[in-house]
Amino acid sequence: MSTANYDLIVIGAGSAAREGANRAAKEHGAKVALIERERWGGSCPNVACTPTKAYLVAADLAHDINTLADKLGIEVGPAATNLAKVRARKETLKKPQTKWVEDLEAGGFDTYAGEASFVDPHTVRVGHTELTTARILIATGSRTAVPPVEGIDQIDWLDHVTALDLEELPDALLIVGAGAVGLEFGQAFSRFGSKVTLVDALDEIAPQSDQHAAMELREALEAEGIEIILGSFVQKVEARDGRHVATITPREGGMEQEVEFDRLLLASGRRPNIEELNLEAAGVATYKLGIVVDERMRTNVPGIWAAGDVNGQAQFTPVAQYQAGIAVEDMYRPGHGPAADYTVLPTAIFTDPELAGVGLTQMAAEEHGFEAETVTHPLAYVRRASYTDAKHGLYKIVFERRSRRVLGLHVVSPGASDIVQGLAISLRLGVTVDEFADAHHTFPTFGEGVKAAAERARVTVTA
């Protein structure tokens, strides 16, 4: 058994892991070891953010050709998707695994391929090597959670990873889960040509979003022919007459229904990658969503931090990087670094139209005890929407009644992610709804709707 000592050991090689390693090395001169068992670079560039968005771009182009080209005077034939070619292009966007390792080692990191396992709070074993350190960052990410569906173990189900390797389009795709992953994949495959059905146990899609905004997006998706079944579970799946059949059961009782499908995609949740770490040997506490951490990403064991999906707090790539930065600051400046703050966290679902939000939803504002008011403006009233006949979308501002301070902004429109990102900092600085109304805006843009919504708020209070 060989041994090696480091200033910092990072378990994982995804967004949080690489951010933490880079910060420790560049800002504190740390000697860093990176351990990865499966995928150098992590999920985002390999099987999530980058490849998924490549599929969405292809799906949007096919949809625009088939729905807009003739209206705009563009003479083309109907667009048909060659899924094998879409997949092939997606593969060209990925960095080869050997290149990942080469680049990491060129950056001064030692890389270890294999399963990491704790020996004690300061020792990690990888294969026949034991690594020791005073500081460990766990950033092992998460994977698809498999729901308790009868017969699921007999189905060759898909998730966001394997769905991107399909080369033949399924005639009928059943998706379990109507969060960001289910919605993005559902619309993409529907626009490619599959008959898509989405099932979710909750009463509305996009459960982390403002309900009004989520409803607007749902109506847009249903208008495209995507079937969405809410408040229901997939109770059972089985093979029948060369196809598959799912039994859908309402959550609160009622008539069951059957849905035929060719492929099943699971998108109903994530599980932290912690089982093989032997956390018991280090005494690290866990809970249902992952490793327990405080506001500085500290675990209950001194010298061990956890960042990214593995702690289950907010599973987004920028948040993973943000958390890793907080962890490293705490490692080298204990008690003096920043604490995590998610109050102004912009998020987006990259459907068409996009759904994006920052700050509090209407429901969350009320739960926090604010005397909250809301104002909305329809996308159809925005000039630029008329250029593409866009009908579904809205701009919603949640604000405090007395101070007029904006508590949340929720947008359903093309480019909603850019609109929300651009205005996120203003919420942190305490912008009021009246300042939104007074602000200059570029015309014509989809962002015009935010100003229009704010002007509606002023008319309301004046009246």
Side-chain angles (χ1 to χ4, degrees):
M1 181 76 66
S2 60
T3 62
N5 182 259
Y6 291 91
D7 298 315
L8 170 64
I9 295 173
V10 180
I11 306 176
S15 299
R18 288 179 285 113
E19 179 71 13
N22 280 320
R23 289 229 184 172
K26 293 177 180 177
E27 298 177 12
H28 304 284
K31 180 184 178 184
V32 182
L34 282 161
I35 306 170
E36 176 56 46
R37 68 173 185 174
E38 180 181 14
R39 192 178 290 120
W40 293 100
S43 291
C44 187
N46 289 300
V47 294
C49 321
T50 299
T52 300
K53 302 312 175 277
Y55 273 49
L56 294 179
V57 168
D60 289 351
L61 179 58
H63 178 263
D64 287 347
I65 290 172
N66 288 330
T67 60
L68 280 179
D70 187 58
K71 293 180 182 179
L72 300 180
I74 309 299
E75 296 182 355
V76 293
T81 300
N82 183 323
L83 196 59
K85 287 186 176 181
V86 174
R87 178 185 181 276
R89 180 179 182 274
K90 176 262 296 185
E91 289 295 305
T92 69
L93 302 177
K94 295 161 54 176
K95 183 191 294 189
Q97 288 291 287
T98 53
K99 180 61 174 171
W100 274 110
V101 174
E102 179 184 324
D103 288 349
L104 289 169
E105 291 181 347
F109 306 116
D110 288 351
T111 62
Y112 293 85
E115 192 81 61
S117 177
F118 277 92
V119 176
D120 59 49
H122 301 290
T123 308
V124 176
R125 180 179 294 130
V126 190
H128 297 292
T129 303
E130 285 192 352
L131 311 179
T132 59
T133 184
R135 306 173 189 87
I136 297 174
L137 175 63
I138 304 172
T140 48
S142 65
R143 65 188 184 279
T144 299
V146 181
V149 176
E150 182 183 343
I152 191 72
D153 54 341
Q154 304 299 313
I155 297 290
D156 183 21
W157 50 264
L158 303 165
D159 64 4
H160 73 285
V161 178
T162 53
L164 295 176
D165 284 330
L166 291 178
E167 294 196 347
E168 293 186 8
L169 194 66
D171 290 333
L173 177 66
L174 175 64
I175 300 178
V176 182
V181 174
L183 294 172
E184 291 179 4
F185 272 85
Q187 187 178 49
F189 275 84
S190 176
R191 289 182 166 187
F192 287 157
S194 295
K195 173 67 178 76
V196 172
T197 303
L198 280 155
V199 180
D200 199 289
L202 299 179
D203 293 327
E204 190 52 271
I205 66 170
Q208 302 304 315
S209 303
D210 182 86
Q211 287 190 344
H212 192 182
M215 180 181 68
E216 190 73 17
L217 175 59
R218 172 171 52 80
E219 291 177 352
L221 297 175
E222 289 175 333
E224 287 191 18
I226 298 173
E227 182 179 6
I228 300 176
I229 303 172
L230 297 171
S232 300
F233 295 98
V234 177
Q235 187 72 30
K236 178 174 66 174
V237 290
E238 58 184 318
R240 187 185 300 171
D241 299 328
R243 298 192 75 191
H244 295 98
V245 177
T247 302
I248 312 297
T249 304
R251 187 185 68 227
E252 297 182 358
M255 292 291 293
E256 292 183 344
Q257 61 178 304
E258 292 187 341
V259 174
E260 288 192 350
F261 65 94
D262 298 298
R263 299 305 302 263
L264 174 70
L265 191 153
L266 300 182
S268 57
R270 309 286 298 167
R271 289 191 62 183
N273 292 325
I274 58 176
E275 289 85 357
E276 308 302 325
L277 291 174
N278 192 29
L279 293 173
E280 297 82 1
V284 174
T286 63
Y287 71 125
K288 180 181 179 181
L289 298 180
I291 294 174
V292 178
V293 298
D294 66 9
E295 70 279 1
R296 287 185 169 83
M297 307 306 122
R298 304 165 182 154
T299 70
N300 63 305
V301 179
I304 302 178
W305 292 257
D309 282 12
V310 75
N311 66 35
Q313 294 194 344
Q315 296 180 333
F316 305 102
T317 295
V319 172
Q321 295 166 331
Y322 170 68
Q323 291 181 347
I326 287 173
V328 171
E329 278 294 288
D330 190 62
M331 293 175 192
Y332 291 95
R333 295 196 308 128
H336 296 286
D341 178 6
Y342 309 110
T343 55
V344 184
L345 173 64
T347 63
I349 298 174
F350 292 94
T351 46
D352 175 26
E354 295 177 353
L355 189 165
V358 62
L360 298 177
T361 65
Q362 179 179 350
M363 182 179 296
E366 293 168 353
E367 290 174 350
H368 280 71
F370 288 104
E371 291 187 36
E373 291 192 14
T374 66
V375 64
T376 63
H377 185 76
L379 174 68
Y381 289 0
V382 173
R383 179 66 59 85
R384 190 166 177 179
S386 66
Y387 306 156
T388 55
D389 287 347
K391 298 293 191 297
H392 296 278
L394 62 79
Y395 303 81
K396 180 174 182 178
I397 301 172
V398 182
F399 61 98
E400 190 177 24
R401 180 173 297 128
R402 292 184 181 179
S403 69
R404 311 280 287 169
R405 180 169 64 94
V406 176
L407 303 173
L409 173 65
H410 308 281
V411 179
V412 181
S413 86
S417 57
D418 294 324
I419 295 168
V420 165
Q421 175 64 52
L423 294 173
I425 189 64
S426 66
L427 269 70
R428 184 176 293 280
L429 296 175
V431 69
T432 67
V433 68
D434 302 303
E435 288 171 329
F436 270 169
D438 290 335
H440 295 294
H441 69 285
T442 305
F443 180 84
T445 67
F446 286 110
E448 171 194 348
V450 176
K451 179 179 174 68
E455 288 174 341
R456 285 176 175 235
R458 184 150 59 192
V459 169
T460 300
V461 75
T462 301

